[in-house]
Amino acid sequence: MNKGIKHITLLFAIALVFSCKAGKSVYLFTSFHEPANEGLRFLYSNDAYHWNAIDHIFIKPEVGDAKIMRDPSIVQGPDGVYHLVWTTGWKNDKGIGYASSSDLIHWSAEEHIEVMANEPTAVNAWAPELFYDEDNKYFIIVWASTVPFRFPKGHEDENNNHRLYYTTTKDFKTFSPSQLFLDPGFSVIDAEIVKRAKNDYALVMKDNTRPNRNILVAFSNNPLGPYSNYTPRFTEPFSEGPSMTKAGDNWLIYYDSYRLKRYGAMRTTDFKTFTDLADSVSIPVGHKHGTIFKVTKKQLAQLLQAAGQTKAAKHE
């Protein structure tokens, strides 16, 4: 075999390896069902458009007075450990739930982290979202809280006038002091940070003001902000819980369209034009919002086995 043929053969082999590796990942979507007292569920998908449910509870809520698990958010750290945070109560709860796992099946003892303990009049701590900052090598937790009479409000009740707060941690044992993350000039909840490129971050969120209650995105060159260049609200009213993921060249933004009693989805490449995909995606009935991340097909097989399901759905 001459050198030219050897070179071509080597390049083909390398391409094949990378192709195989790319085909070994699937999307997971964290989930819960109302009334949120059961615990963590998962959906899975090969293409991020068509989803199947894993019929199993992987961790049951045990912390917080209400003993619920809403808005589960999972991020994998650089050491391979998965970290989970969630909402533990509607009101009179200044903390969030936390647990960790190496395989998404066996979880550490649950903890209740009182992220708003420094705000005596805080009403709640809703929808915590995790983001790992690779540059600073720490995790960012963002959530929504109401501190009555702290900010101007519209038609919302004073106890429903939310702003976003955050803390950072490297080990989930020590945390930076909680502080204001975003005051966009309106009540805001359900925020998620995604990295689009180097020094390019998008923050998807719900405008919780009346009568809006719909989704928009803002941008920054730093995950901690400041965020600006807000998009118009691009979903119908009464939509919440946005979850963003990349599929090929497209960004998909899933959200709970709770008045229409269905799951919505928008597709964009530039965050200027948004295409409604609600009739083109499939979401299992009962799914409530979480976050989307990737795992290997081997990990999916292990999750299915733990759930007593022998294999993935055929159309996946």
Side-chain angles (χ1 to χ4, degrees):
M1 185 181 295
N2 63 43
K3 290 184 179 180
I5 295 175
K6 284 184 178 179
H7 183 66
I8 293 172
T9 303
L10 178 60
L11 289 176
F12 177 77
I14 292 172
L16 184 60
V17 167
F18 277 97
S19 175
C20 290
K21 284 184 177 180
K24 288 184 178 179
S25 65
V26 295
Y27 295 89
L28 278 190
F29 202 155
T30 62
S31 180
F32 71 97
H33 287 181
E34 296 288 11
N37 60 357
E38 294 177 328
L40 175 67
R41 296 174 176 269
F42 290 116
L43 310 183
Y44 66 93
S45 173
N46 276 336
D47 60 7
Y49 290 84
H50 304 93
W51 297 87
N52 293 284
I54 301 178
D55 189 17
H56 187 71
I57 304 299
F58 287 90
I59 177 173
K60 297 179 180 180
E62 298 176 350
V63 295
D65 291 340
K67 299 294 188 295
I68 61 172
M69 180 180 289
R70 302 180 62 86
D71 323 308
S73 173
I74 289 180
V75 161
Q76 187 179 30
D79 59 356
V81 174
Y82 293 95
H83 301 274
L84 165 69
V85 293
W86 66 91
T87 304
T88 57
W90 281 105
K91 60 182 180 179
N92 302 321
D93 188 338
K94 298 179 183 180
I96 60 174
Y98 168 74
S100 62
S101 173
S102 59
D103 59 8
L104 300 172
I105 299 170
H106 306 93
W107 292 88
S108 66
E110 298 174 32
E111 300 177 43
H112 192 243
I113 304 170
E114 299 238 341
V115 291
M116 291 299 281
N118 61 327
E119 291 285 358
T121 62
V123 174
N124 56 355
W126 281 2
E129 289 284 350
L130 280 169
F131 178 82
Y132 182 70
D133 185 340
E134 297 172 346
D135 296 328
N136 289 299
K137 295 181 172 52
Y138 56 45
F139 297 88
I140 300 170
I141 311 174
V142 176
W143 67 92
S145 286
T146 292
V147 180
F149 306 102
R150 175 71 55 85
F151 301 98
K153 70 178 187 67
H155 299 292
E156 300 73 48
D157 183 90
E158 195 62 56
N159 288 335
N160 195 24
N161 187 25
H162 294 79
R163 295 302 188 270
L164 299 177
Y165 293 81
Y166 82 98
T167 183
T168 63
T169 182
K170 292 187 175 183
D171 55 13
F172 290 89
K173 295 177 182 177
T174 59
F175 301 84
S176 66
S178 298
Q179 55 187 302
L180 186 67
F181 178 79
L182 182 70
D183 171 18
F186 53 84
S187 181
V188 58
I189 65 173
D190 295 349
E192 181 181 75
I193 305 168
V194 296
K195 184 176 183 178
R196 299 196 298 174
K198 184 176 176 59
N199 299 325
D200 183 0
Y201 300 88
L203 182 73
V204 60
M205 70 197 94
K206 176 189 179 183
D207 176 348
N208 200 42
T209 59
R210 278 60 178 155
N212 287 340
R213 286 176 279 190
N214 44 16
I215 311 300
L216 71 159
V217 180
F219 308 92
S220 178
N221 61 6
N222 186 308
L224 290 178
Y227 285 86
S228 60
N229 298 322
Y230 292 76
T231 66
R233 282 68 172 161
F234 53 81
T235 65
E236 65 275 10
F238 300 94
S239 52
E240 66 182 8
S243 305
M244 195 163 6
T245 192
K246 188 82 178 290
D249 294 328
N250 297 306
W251 285 97
L252 305 181
I253 303 173
Y254 281 93
Y255 59 93
D256 187 351
S257 186
Y258 56 95
R259 185 170 66 172
L260 298 179
K261 299 185 184 305
R262 70 175 186 179
Y263 230 79
M266 291 284 176
R267 181 176 62 204
T268 185
T269 57
D270 57 9
F271 290 87
K272 296 177 182 178
T273 58
F274 298 86
T275 302
D276 190 339
L277 297 179
D279 294 329
S280 302
V281 300
S282 57
I283 301 285
V285 175
H287 167 67
K288 302 295 288 185
H289 68 270
T291 51
I292 302 172
F293 61 103
K294 282 188 172 184
V295 298
T296 65
K297 287 187 176 179
K298 180 179 179 181
Q299 287 174 292
L300 173 60
Q302 292 170 341
L303 291 171
L304 291 169
Q305 183 178 26
Q309 295 176 224
T310 57
K311 58 184 179 179
K314 289 183 178 180
H315 61 81
E316 281 296 311

